[in-house]
Amino acid sequence: MGCRVRTVKSELLRLVVVEGEIVPDQRGRLQGRGAYVHPALGCLELAERRRAFPRSFRVAGPLDVACLRASLAGLDVE
């Protein structure tokens, strides 16, 4: 979604919307429409710039990515 580089699903992080906030779904079991990004801040930033999240999740308006950004900051190894 963000960098548009294709890779295997196991290397991507699944995201879902919970009460207007994008949260990481580490186990892949949360309900709802999912979107996938690389677990890197650069990929997240590209997706935000392209306004890809509302399209991917099929919702109107902006979505909160604060929780996701904090989670990726802890995981990021760049």
Side-chain angles (χ1 to χ4, degrees), residues 19-53:
E19 297 177 4
E21 183 175 14
I22 301 173
V23 295
D25 182 10
Q26 301 289 346
R27 295 184 179 201
R29 295 184 180 170
L30 292 177
Q31 290 185 352
R33 183 171 190 80
Y36 293 85
V37 295
H38 288 101
L41 285 173
C43 193
L44 171 65
E45 290 168 358
L46 282 171
E48 284 182 292
R49 266 189 266 147
R50 291 186 176 125
R51 297 182 186 112
F53 291 124

Side-chain angles (χ1 to χ4, degrees), residues 1 8-18 21-40 53 56-57 68 71-72 75:
M1 173 196 311
V8 294
K9 189 175 175 180
S10 62
E11 293 180 10
L12 299 173
L13 177 64
R14 182 174 189 260
L15 309 174
V16 294
V17 175
V18 177
E21 183 175 14
I22 301 173
V23 295
D25 182 10
Q26 301 289 346
R27 295 184 179 201
R29 295 184 180 170
L30 292 177
Q31 290 185 352
R33 183 171 190 80
Y36 293 85
V37 295
H38 288 101
F53 291 124
S56 294
F57 293 117
L68 177 59
S71 176
L72 286 179
L75 292 174

Side-chain angles (χ1 to χ4, degrees), residues 63-75:
L63 295 167
D64 186 17
V65 295
C67 177
L68 177 59
R69 186 176 296 282
S71 176
L72 286 179
L75 292 174

